[in-house]
Amino acid sequence: MSLLGHYNYWIVVVLMMVGFYVVIDRGNLLKKLIGLNMFQTAVFLLYISMGKIEGGTAPIIWEGGGPYSNPLPHVLILTAIVVGVATLALGLGLVVRIREAYGTVEEDEIREQDDP
Amino acid sequence: MTDLLVLRVVVKLLIPFILLFGLYVQMHGDYGPGGGFQAGVIFGSGFILYGMVFGLETMERVAPMRLIGVMIGLGVLIYAGTGYVTMALGGLFLEYGLLDHHDPSHGQHYGIFSVEAGVGITVASVMILIFHTFASRKG
Amino acid sequence: MVVALTIVWLRNMFAVVMLSGIYSFLMASIFVVLDAVDVAFTEAAVGAGISTVLGLTALSLTTEREKTPRHRPFLPLFVVAVTGAVLLYVTPDMPSFGDASAPVHHHVAPRYIEDSIPATTVPNVVTAVLASYRGYDTLGETTVIFTAGIGVVLLLGRRRKKQQEGEK
């Protein structure tokens, strides 16, 4: 129980590291954004899994209900998801502009064009 | 516009239900899962589906981008405006209890409703606008 | 997790975007299991719906194939492995999964659950906290979305004017 009870954190760490690897290793800017998204989802999972209570139900109050899971992380992540998609759209917009200016979305090629 | 007849008919059938579901999520957010953010996204995706299948010009006829641009600002204005109304009623910023003289909890209800409406309007119109700017760049 | 790893290996960007949609959808089902229905709802609509559409439209404006990186992957792998190891090393100090006595559940959360019905008459605590208790926060987040929308329009919306200038 003591060690296996932390499996949610292991999943979060693995997902987070996969996203992190994509962000720092891959040269394609679009792929980087998707990696960033994966990293973000791992953080969401971390928060939500911390709010879970064993045997709890969704925090919508009804008579005889309870115990309820912690609603606070849900609120924070709910807004974070929508803000996340807005910033993702902004990032994609930047990528499209870069593609139009340089003709490529690969980091190495952009750098080569900048200092030949 | 796509030439696939099946796709067009199915989408035509689906869109009213998507929009209705979006409104349901918006109004019912107090009692079940849902609220302004989700409703805005669902409502916006209804329009986006329409734009993808029937072409951007048709979509622009239904939702002119000038209007959508105004709606984005309107949503934030409704939210902040609710705060200023409660201030004008002699309370603090976003103190919903003052919106109803008799029962503060009803006031809370009205406040949450109008704030969620503001959020929903902003999210839906931002989604539509973002899709439109991306898609209209293709040409 | 398998889906996540496939995303890393695939170089065809179309498949990657579709897979990230599937990934979001799986994530949404995990959120349902973890009692976060509101969050799952949002993740399904946003992650699996809007993000995929946006990714595909952005894809049609850029290239579909990713090129093989020329540098060796060892240094990034090393950095990732070390960071992951450090994070795993500290996990035993965290409260275990589903533990009702964890510190997260003892600060303001019980107050939200107990007081939200008398104070706001709204049964869905998430909505009550979102719109009422943390109203300032949500106002800020709405403004962030507003700003992001304006940013995208500023970045991408100027083309028509430029074309006209080019024609002149």
Side-chain angles (χ1 to χ4, degrees):
Chain A
M1 182 60 207
S2 60
L3 203 59
L4 277 178
H6 298 98
Y7 70 93
N8 59 324
Y9 302 111
W10 302 344
I11 295 173
V12 167
V13 168
V14 169
L15 280 178
M16 206 182 261
M17 286 309 112
V18 170
F20 190 35
Y21 175 72
V22 173
V23 172
I24 61 176
D25 183 52
R26 290 300 136 106
N28 189 310
L29 292 175
L30 212 57
K31 193 92 166 252
K32 267 186 202 290
L33 276 178
I34 290 173
L36 211 57
N37 220 14
M38 270 160 70
F39 196 103
Q40 201 181 19
T41 328
V43 178
F44 297 163
L45 189 61
L46 172 69
Y47 270 68
I48 297 297
S49 66
M50 280 202 290
K52 166 82 178 167
I53 292 179
E54 192 74 56
T57 56
I60 296 170
I61 292 178
W62 48 289
E63 275 176 52
Y68 304 103
S69 285
N70 194 340
L72 189 56
H74 299 186
V75 176
L76 300 178
I77 296 312
L78 180 62
T79 46
I81 290 177
V82 183
V83 170
V85 78
T87 47
L88 176 75
L90 199 60
L92 287 175
L94 277 172
V95 170
V96 169
R97 287 297 293 220
I98 287 172
R99 152 87 180 167
E100 281 172 1
Y102 288 89
T104 176
V105 285
E106 300 288 331
E107 210 176 34
D108 300 345
E109 293 171 10
I110 293 171
R111 205 170 291 146
E112 272 169 23
Q113 287 183 22
D114 271 347
D115 35 26
Chain B
M1 190 194 289
T2 172
D3 293 328
L4 295 171
L5 187 65
V6 177
L7 196 61
R8 283 173 56 191
V9 170
V10 169
V11 165
K12 221 176 227 172
L13 274 176
L14 271 178
I15 282 178
F17 291 105
I18 296 178
L19 296 186
L20 194 65
F21 185 58
L23 283 177
Y24 166 77
V25 170
Q26 171 85 49
M27 305 297 172
H28 209 253
D30 302 358
Y31 302 101
F37 285 98
Q38 295 95 325
V41 172
I42 292 170
F43 210 76
S45 62
F47 278 96
I48 289 176
L49 189 63
Y50 188 73
M52 283 201 307
V53 174
F54 294 101
L56 284 178
E57 289 81 23
T58 332
M59 179 178 159
E60 192 132 9
R61 236 180 290 150
V62 182
M65 280 308 123
R66 190 173 286 271
L67 178 72
I68 296 293
V70 172
M71 296 273 273
I72 295 180
L74 188 71
V76 180
L77 198 68
I78 289 177
Y79 200 133
T82 313
Y84 284 117
V85 166
T86 56
M87 268 172 93
L89 289 172
L92 302 167
F93 190 68
L94 293 175
E95 191 183 349
Y96 306 133
L98 294 165
L99 289 175
D100 193 339
H101 295 296
H102 314 292
D103 189 355
S105 65
H106 280 177
Q108 284 281 348
H109 219 115
Y110 299 146
I112 290 178
F113 182 79
S114 77
V115 160
E116 292 273 14
V119 172
I121 291 172
T122 305
V123 172
S125 28
V126 166
M127 292 305 156
I128 298 170
L129 190 71
I130 287 176
F131 171 75
H132 186 267
T133 24
F134 267 98
S136 64
R137 215 171 165 76
K138 229 177 272 181
Chain C
M1 269 160 65
V2 177
V3 176
L5 284 177
T6 331
I7 290 179
V8 183
W9 293 121
L10 276 179
R11 299 209 184 278
N12 185 335
M13 293 307 290
F14 179 76
V16 168
V17 172
M18 291 321 273
L19 270 179
S20 69
I22 295 173
Y23 170 78
S24 293
F25 210 78
L26 287 175
M27 220 45 166
S29 22
I30 294 177
F31 288 152
V32 173
V33 175
L34 293 174
D35 293 343
V37 274
D38 281 272
V39 180
F41 204 159
T42 323
E43 178 72 32
V46 168
I50 302 282
S51 293
T52 315
V53 170
L54 282 181
L56 287 178
T57 35
L59 204 61
S60 70
L61 295 171
T62 54
T63 40
E64 193 170 299
R65 293 217 58 95
E66 186 192 17
K67 292 187 179 118
T68 11
R70 266 167 278 173
H71 59 90
R72 300 243 178 95
F74 296 124
L75 181 64
L77 259 185
F78 177 71
V79 173
V80 167
V82 168
T83 323
V86 170
L87 285 177
L88 280 179
Y89 175 69
V90 295
T91 46
D93 293 339
M94 300 289 282
S96 65
F97 180 61
D99 186 3
S101 60
V104 213
H105 305 304
H106 288 286
H107 189 45
V108 285
R111 216 191 93 113
Y112 284 153
I113 290 174
E114 280 154 24
D115 287 2
S116 78
I117 280 274
T120 64
T121 66
V122 170
N124 186 352
V125 188
V126 174
T127 307
V129 175
L130 180 84
S132 188
Y133 287 101
R134 301 187 69 88
Y136 281 120
D137 253 19
T138 315
L139 176 60
E141 260 126 24
T142 318
T143 320
V144 169
I145 296 166
F146 172 68
T147 320
I150 291 176
V152 170
V153 173
L154 286 179
L155 275 171
L156 295 177
R158 286 292 180 84
R159 190 174 189 174
R160 232 169 266 163
K161 210 187 261 176
K162 263 186 202 161
Q163 263 181 346
Q164 283 166 358
E165 280 168 15
E167 280 163 10
K168 280 172 197 169

